[in-house]
């Protein structure tokens, strides 16, 4: 989900993680941060866990995405997919994978 907060563009990654694209002191930043729920107001607020990347560093990260994906593939299936596959196989004799194909290492 994308939303606009003043001049920032905000993208939810999951319930408590967000990416904000913003300008700070004239520098474009990509801020990846974990949020927490304020107990008083029940409002999500930015926490300490996170990182702000300059536009140049963000572009360097994107340029290395294939290498990063290859490194992830070498580690094996992600946990959520592995759990879903176990559930599917327990329910039937034939396990099918309708998700995107992953490269074998």
């Amino acid at each position: 989900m994308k939303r606009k907060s003043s001049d920032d563009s905000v993208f939810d990654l999951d319930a408590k993680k967000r990416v904000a694209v913003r300008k700070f002191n004239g520098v474009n930043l990509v801020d990846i941060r974990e949020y927490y729920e304020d107990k008083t107001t029940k409002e999500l607020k930015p926490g300490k866990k996170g990182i702000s990347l300059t536009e140049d560093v963000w572009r360097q990260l994107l340029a290395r995405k294939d290498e990063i994906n290859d490194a992830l593939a070498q580690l094996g299936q992600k946990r959520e997919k592995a759990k879903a596959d176990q559930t599917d196989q327990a329910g039937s004799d034939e396990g099918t994978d309708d998700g995107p194909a992953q490269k074998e290492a």
Side-chain angles (χ1 to χ4, degrees):
M1 164 193 256
K2 179 183 175 184
R3 64 180 101 171
K4 200 82 163 148
S5 169
S6 65
D7 289 334
D8 301 351
S9 292
V10 180
F11 306 86
D12 292 338
L13 297 179
D14 66 20
K16 295 201 175 179
K17 292 183 184 73
R18 294 181 178 167
V19 176
V21 179
R22 61 192 182 92
K23 189 175 289 254
F24 181 75
N25 287 339
V27 178
N28 293 338
L29 296 174
V30 176
D31 188 44
I32 305 167
R33 190 147 309 274
E34 192 168 277
Y35 283 68
Y36 69 95
E37 186 176 299
D38 183 291
K39 292 177 184 175
T40 308
T41 64
K42 302 295 183 196
E43 174 180 25
L44 283 181
K45 295 189 174 182
K48 294 179 183 179
K49 293 181 181 180
I51 186 169
S52 289
L53 304 175
T54 62
E55 188 174 355
D56 289 341
V57 173
W58 171 253
R59 295 200 188 288
Q60 289 175 32
L61 177 65
L62 290 180
R64 305 209 58 185
K65 76 176 177 83
D66 290 336
E67 294 171 71
I68 294 167
N69 281 331
D70 289 345
L72 285 170
Q74 288 178 5
L75 294 176
Q77 293 180 337
K78 62 182 185 177
R79 289 186 302 189
E80 294 83 15
K81 184 178 183 325
K83 286 180 185 176
D85 287 348
Q86 289 173 357
T87 303
D88 289 345
Q89 289 175 0
S92 71
D93 292 335
E94 284 187 57
T96 59
D97 184 9
D98 294 332
Q102 289 186 351
K103 289 172 67 175
E104 295 280 330

